[in-house]
Amino acid sequence: MVKFGVNQSVERKEDFRLITGTGEYTDDIDLDGQLYGYMLRSPVAHGKVLSIDIDEARQAPGVVDIILGKELEADKANQLPCMIPLKNRDGSDRADPGHPVLATDKVRYVGDNVAFVIAETLTQAKDAAELIYVDFEEEDVIVDTKTANAPGQPLVHDNVPNNVAFDWEQGNEKNIQDVFSNASHVTEIELINNRVVVNSMEPRGLIADWDGDAAKMTVRMGTQGGWVLRSLLANAILHVPEEDIRVITPDVGGAFGMKLFFYSECAVTVWASRKLGRPVKWIGERSDAFLSDTQGRDHVTRAKLAFDANHKITGMKVETNANLGAYLSTFGPLIPTMAAVKVLPGVYDIPNFYYRSIGVFTNTVPVDAYRGAGRPEAIYVIERLMDTAARELGLGQDEIRRKNFIPVSAIPYTTSTGCVYDSGEFERIMDRALETSDWESFPDRRAASAEHGKRRGIGMCYYIEATAGNPTETATIRFEEDDRVTVAVGTQSSGQGHSTAYAQIVAERLGVPFENIEIVQGDTDKIKSGGGTGGSRSLTTQGPAIHAASDEVINKGKELAGHFLEAAPVDIEFSADDGEFAIAGTDRKIGILELAHRARGLGQLPENLAEGLDSEASFTVEAFTYPNGCHIAEVEIDELTGAAEVVRYVIVDDFGTIVNPALVRNQVIGGVGQGIGQALTEHTVYSDDGQLLTGSYMDYGMPRADNIPLDLLYETVEVPCTMNPMGVKGCGEAGCIGAPPAVINAIIDGLADLGVRHIDMPATPQRVWDIIQQAS
C-alpha cells in the first residue's frame, strides 16, 4: 500500500494553513483604490415603489455613486436568470416573471434589493444609505406555503395566476388511483419540511476589479465553482465574451449549496466596477445572510402508500407544495422536482408511483438547493411513511423495511422513477446497524430512562441519495521544475478536504510523495472548465478524472522511460509503490520525478510527448451514484418540559470505495448535526406581514455541539459503485438526509404509547410539550 494513498485517514493538507490564520478568504483581500458597496434592502415584504429619493445621499461624504434598478435596466443588466427550464403537467412552460437585480416598480420580500451605495469606506456607504428615502405603497402579503396557491390569495407577481410557478408531475395519476382503490391497506400522512437558513460560517462577499486597458473583469469571490458564475455575468450583466471575465475563488468558509447561485450583490458590484473603473468590494454581514442568502426546504407534502395483504407496497402517491420564495433562484425549480423525485421511492420495491410538485411564490426570501437539495425532503417523506405504516400494520420498524427492500438479486434495479440503482446491499447494512445499535436491548435502555423520569424512543431511517450536478470533470497534472506535482481541478472546496483526498489519489496512482502534490482550484483563467462542487459530485466526477489523467501520465512515462532506459515501451513496468519505471525482469529503473526532469532536457519529442509527463484527462459519469445507509437515533424526552435530546446515534453507510475514512466520517457527522438541527431546533418564521421573526442568532435555533450525542457510532460497508473506475459514491450530503427522519421517528416512538402518531419538524420543547398535553 502506498503511504498516504487511498483508504487511509491521512491528515488534511490544508489544516495547518487554515488553523494558523494564513488562509485567505474574500474579506482578507484588499485592492489598491477599492471602493465599498452597501445594499439598501426593502423593510416591507410587498409593495409598490412609488419613488426613490437619493439626492441627499449623493451629497454625503465619501459617496461615489448610487445605483438604482432603472440604470441597470437601461443597460439590459437588471435580471438574474433562472437556469432550470420546466414543463407543467399540461405541457406549458413554467412561469418566468423575472428576478430584478434591483427592484424598480415593486418589492416582494423583506430584504429585496433596492439601491446599491458605493463610497470610499464602508461606514460612509452605510451612513449614506440611511439618507435614501423610499416611498412604498404596501400591499397584502402571502407567506404560507400550504395556502399560497389557494384562490383569492395576494399575488406575488401580477402575471402569475394563483402564485403557481410550476405544476409538475411524474407518473400516471389515473393508474395510481386504480392501485390505491385495490389496496389492502393505505397509509396517509401530511407533513411539513421546515424552512432553514443556511448560515455558512463565512458570509457571502466579493471584490470586482475592472481593468480598462485589458478590458478584463476579475472577480474574487467565495463560490462553489466559478464557471457558471462567469457565464451568467458575461451573458446577463456585462454582455461580453466569457473569456473577458476571470473568477478567482479563494478559501471558502462553508457553502452548503447556497454559494452556487447568482445574487444581486454580485451582479451590481461587478457592473459598478466596470462603470467606475475602480475595484468595488461588497461583504455581507450576518443580518444580510438571514435576509438575502437563499434558504432551504419549505415543503408541505401529502403522501400515501398502498399495501397488499402481505404488507408489500403496491403504490406511492405524493403531492407537494414547494415554496420558492418571491423569485426563481438560479436552480430553484430543480430542487422539488427532478432532484427530489429521483429518490422518493427510497430503497423499496415500489412498482407504481405518482408525484406532483406545485412550486409557489410567496413574499419570502428565495429558496434553492441546501445540503442534499431535494433528496432530504424526499427521504423524509418515504421514511416517515414507512414508520407510520409500520405502526398501523403492527410491524416493527425493521420488519416493514425488510419486507419491502429491493433485494440484492434485483440489482441493477430500475426504480419506478427511472433511476438505476447499480449497487447496494440494503438489508445487510440495516442488519449491521441493528447489531451496532444493540437494537434488541433497547427495552432495557427505555426502562432505565423511565427510572429517571424520561421517555426514550428509538427511530430508524434508511436513506438513499442520488448524486447530481455536471456529469463531466477534467483534471490536469503538471510536473514542475521544483519537484512539485500540481493537479488542476474544476471542483471547489468549501471546507471538505478536497486537497487531501485528491492528493491521495495521485499518490496512490503515481507514487509521488504526498507532500509534493499541490491541488490547484478556483481560477477560471488557469483551469479551462469545471462543474463546481454540489450534489456530492466532487469525488465521483473529479476523482475518476484525476485517475484517468494519472493513467495518461503512466502511459507517457513508459514511452519516455523506454527512451532513457533503451527499451521498448511494452517492456516497461510502472510501480506506484515506489514511483518508478523499470525494464521488466531487470533492476534498471528510473523514478517518476527524475524522468520528468530528464524529459524537460530533451530536444525534439513526438507530438504526444511534447509536454513530457504533463497530462490531462476528462471523465463523464454515465449515471448517478447512489450512496445509502441506515441511521438509528435514540432520544430522551422530558415529559415535564417537552425537551427532546438525541442521546445515542448509529450510522452505517455505503459510500462504495472510501478514499479517506476520516474525511468521510467528519463529513457525515457534520451533516448529521445539520439534520438534527432541522429536526429539533431550526425554524424560519415569518409574520403574517412578511417580517422575518427569526432573523438573528437570538431567535433562530442554530444547532450546537451539544445537540450531537457523544455516543455516536459510525461505520461503513463498502459496496463499490459500478459506474466509475474507482467504485466511489458521494458522501457529502448523506448525514443531513438520514438524520431528520431518524430523529423524528425516534420522538414518535417515545410518545407512541400516548397515541402520538405524528409531529412536524422542528420538534421544539414547546411543540413536544403541547402534543403530550393534547394526548394526555
Side-chain angles (χ1 to χ4, degrees):
M1 178 183 290
V2 174
K3 186 179 180 183
F4 302 123
V6 169
N7 216 259
Q8 300 176 57
S9 292
V10 177
E11 290 187 4
R12 290 172 29 132
K13 292 173 69 76
E14 49 273 85
D15 278 357
F16 181 81
R17 175 174 59 83
L18 296 175
I19 65 177
T20 57
T22 55
E24 184 179 64
Y25 297 87
T26 304
D27 198 24
D28 295 324
I29 302 169
D30 289 303
L31 303 179
D32 291 341
Q34 80 183 13
L35 300 168
Y36 294 82
Y38 178 78
M39 185 68 78
L40 179 67
R41 305 186 186 279
S42 171
V44 302
H46 195 198
K48 294 177 181 176
V49 179
L50 301 180
S51 64
I52 305 177
D53 186 348
I54 61 174
D55 290 345
E56 186 177 0
R58 280 191 182 280
Q59 305 307 313
V63 172
V64 175
D65 200 1
I66 298 175
I67 296 172
L68 302 178
K70 291 187 182 301
E71 187 177 3
L72 294 176
E73 277 190 353
D75 197 38
K76 295 188 171 95
N78 200 40
Q79 287 293 319
L80 302 176
C82 174
M83 301 291 288
I84 304 300
L86 203 66
K87 293 289 185 182
N88 294 314
R89 295 198 304 159
D90 63 6
S92 62
D93 292 328
R94 64 158 172 80
D96 192 12
H99 185 176
V101 175
L102 297 176
T104 54
D105 58 336
K106 256 193 177 188
V107 291
R108 294 182 171 87
Y109 66 96
V110 172
D112 208 349
N113 308 286
V114 175
F116 194 64
V117 182
I118 302 163
E120 297 290 348
T121 70
L122 179 58
T123 299
Q124 289 172 332
K126 288 182 175 181
D127 288 346
E130 294 186 2
L131 301 176
I132 297 175
Y133 176 74
V134 185
D135 187 9
F136 296 105
E137 181 183 301
E138 293 193 46
E139 298 185 347
D140 291 339
V141 169
I142 178 65
V143 297
D144 182 54
T145 304
K146 184 175 181 178
T147 63
N149 58 323
Q153 293 286 24
L155 295 181
V156 179
H157 299 274
D158 294 337
N159 60 344
V160 181
N162 297 320
N163 294 314
V164 174
F166 55 78
D167 185 350
W168 185 86
E169 69 178 358
Q170 183 168 328
N172 188 300
E173 187 173 17
K174 182 182 182 305
N175 287 353
I176 206 70
Q177 289 170 347
D178 293 340
V179 170
F180 278 89
S181 296
N182 295 315
S184 176
H185 176 83
V186 173
T187 291
E188 188 167 0
I189 59 173
E190 178 172 302
L191 52 83
I192 294 172
N193 206 294
N194 46 318
R195 180 186 284 233
V196 292
V197 178
V198 177
N199 277 312
S200 59
M201 187 178 295
E202 176 205 24
R204 290 187 296 115
L206 75 149
I207 306 173
D209 183 16
W210 173 251
D211 182 342
D213 293 335
K216 179 95 171 185
M217 176 64 70
T218 300
V219 182
R220 294 169 174 85
M221 180 177 176
T223 74
Q224 290 177 234
W227 289 269
V228 169
L229 176 64
R230 179 181 68 172
S231 176
L232 291 168
L233 281 170
N235 294 295
I237 304 301
L238 297 184
H239 307 294
V240 298
E242 291 184 17
E243 57 267 26
D244 290 350
I245 299 175
R246 179 185 187 185
V247 179
I248 300 173
T249 299
D251 290 320
V252 181
F256 310 115
M258 179 269 294
K259 289 179 182 173
L260 271 171
F261 314 127
F262 193 29
Y263 292 91
S264 292
E265 295 88 354
C266 174
V268 71
T269 300
V270 168
W271 191 87
S273 177
R274 184 174 69 172
K275 176 188 177 184
L276 300 173
R278 292 175 64 180
V280 179
K281 182 176 188 177
W282 174 82
I283 299 293
E285 299 176 357
R286 189 57 59 187
S287 57
D288 287 299
F290 275 95
L291 292 175
S292 67
D293 292 355
T294 56
Q295 298 174 356
R297 316 299 190 228
D298 204 344
H299 293 181
V300 176
T301 298
R302 300 157 299 282
K304 53 186 182 179
L305 286 177
F307 291 85
D308 65 17
N310 296 316
H311 306 147
K312 291 280 290 181
I313 301 170
T314 57
M316 180 180 187
K317 181 179 181 181
V318 180
E319 295 178 306
T320 290
N321 267 30
N323 196 339
L324 301 170
Y327 302 104
L328 295 180
S329 180
T330 313
F331 301 111
L334 173 71
I335 311 310
T337 56
M338 294 170 282
V341 76
K342 288 186 291 189
V343 295
L344 256 175
V347 291
Y348 309 110
D349 182 10
I350 301 179
N352 301 289
F353 176 86
Y354 177 77
Y355 177 52
R356 181 182 180 187
S357 178
I358 301 174
V360 296
F361 289 117
T362 61
N363 296 113
T364 61
V365 174
V367 175
D368 210 316
Y370 170 65
R371 195 173 190 172
R375 283 92 80 200
E377 296 92 319
I379 295 301
Y380 187 67
V381 172
I382 182 62
E383 289 300 297
R384 284 292 299 116
L385 275 169
M386 294 298 284
D387 188 76
T388 304
R391 298 189 187 282
E392 292 176 355
L393 294 169
L395 302 175
Q397 296 181 51
D398 57 330
E399 186 181 3
I400 193 171
R401 288 170 171 83
R402 198 181 307 277
K403 281 177 174 284
N404 288 283
F405 275 144
I406 299 164
V408 174
S409 60
I411 291 176
Y413 175 89
T414 302
T415 72
S416 50
T417 65
C419 290
V420 179
Y421 295 171
D422 69 288
S423 58
E425 299 181 18
F426 311 133
E427 187 170 6
R428 173 190 169 201
I429 287 170
M430 183 184 73
D431 285 341
R432 180 58 189 160
L434 291 170
E435 181 183 350
T436 303
S437 69
D438 200 6
W439 182 277
E440 292 298 326
S441 67
F442 172 74
D444 297 335
R445 296 193 294 278
R446 173 173 269 166
S449 294
E451 290 179 2
H452 296 90
K454 302 289 182 68
R455 289 179 164 274
R456 194 176 186 111
I458 190 167
M460 174 188 292
C461 166
Y462 201 111
Y463 79 90
I464 190 164
E465 181 195 359
T467 56
N470 191 318
T472 301
E473 205 55 79
T474 299
T476 304
I477 298 176
R478 295 188 181 91
F479 289 76
E480 311 294 348
E481 293 187 7
D482 58 2
D483 281 348
R484 285 181 306 120
V485 177
T486 59
V487 186
V489 298
T491 56
Q492 176 63 51
S493 173
S494 55
Q496 300 94 328
H498 289 186
S499 291
T500 302
Y502 294 161
Q504 286 181 255
I505 297 171
V506 175
E508 173 87 10
R509 295 293 296 129
L510 300 181
V512 174
F514 181 76
E515 60 272 15
N516 289 34
I517 302 167
E518 179 181 325
I519 305 302
V520 178
Q521 60 181 350
D523 190 330
T524 60
D525 270 15
K526 291 183 178 180
I527 305 161
K528 66 181 182 182
S529 66
T533 293
S536 300
R537 71 178 292 274
S538 293
L539 194 60
T540 60
T541 52
Q542 190 70 71
I546 294 171
H547 195 279
S550 299
D551 285 346
E552 184 66 17
V553 169
I554 293 169
N555 291 335
K556 288 184 175 182
K558 288 180 177 180
E559 290 199 46
L560 286 168
H563 174 83
F564 288 111
L565 298 176
E566 299 179 337
V570 294
D571 294 327
I572 301 296
E573 295 178 341
F574 177 71
S575 169
D577 289 341
D578 47 21
E580 292 179 333
F581 294 89
I583 300 175
T586 76
D587 60 358
R588 296 184 62 199
K589 57 190 177 180
I590 184 170
I592 191 169
L593 295 180
E594 181 185 351
L595 182 62
H597 277 298
R598 288 202 191 180
R600 287 190 202 94
L602 285 177
Q604 198 68 25
L605 282 169
E607 185 176 346
N608 67 315
L609 300 175
E611 296 182 355
L613 293 181
D614 294 355
S615 298
E616 180 176 285
S618 296
F619 177 79
T620 299
V621 297
E622 296 179 13
F624 300 113
T625 67
Y626 294 94
N628 62 89
C630 188
H631 288 217
I632 296 176
E634 291 186 33
V635 300
E636 280 190 335
I637 302 164
D638 188 326
E639 196 165 350
L640 295 178
T641 66
E645 179 186 3
V646 182
V647 293
R648 202 160 186 262
Y649 205 97
V650 168
I651 309 161
V652 179
D653 280 322
D654 165 21
F655 296 133
T657 303
I658 304 293
V659 171
N660 186 311
L663 289 183
V664 169
R665 183 179 190 276
N666 292 339
Q667 280 286 293
V668 171
I669 292 175
V672 166
Q674 286 178 287
I676 291 175
Q678 185 180 8
L680 296 182
T681 68
E682 295 189 62
H683 194 198
T684 309
V685 181
Y686 285 90
S687 65
D688 289 342
D689 63 352
Q691 294 296 322
L692 180 61
L693 301 181
T694 50
S696 75
Y697 289 154
M698 295 292 289
D699 305 297
Y700 185 82
M702 283 287 286
R704 292 166 171 78
D706 60 0
N707 292 119
I708 301 176
L710 293 175
D711 190 357
L712 190 152
L713 302 175
Y714 176 72
E715 297 181 13
T716 59
V717 174
E718 296 190 14
V719 183
C721 171
T722 65
M723 303 311 294
N724 62 68
M726 296 180 63
V728 297
K729 305 173 185 178
C731 76
E733 296 167 303
C736 69
I737 298 174
V743 171
I744 295 299
N745 287 344
I747 291 172
I748 292 168
D749 183 66
L751 302 175
D753 65 333
L754 295 175
V756 174
R757 293 293 178 264
H758 181 69
I759 186 170
D760 276 318
M761 299 187 291
T764 59
Q766 179 71 59
R767 182 168 285 173
V768 174
W769 187 87
D770 285 344
I771 283 180
I772 291 173
Q773 303 316 303
Q774 293 164 16
S776 299

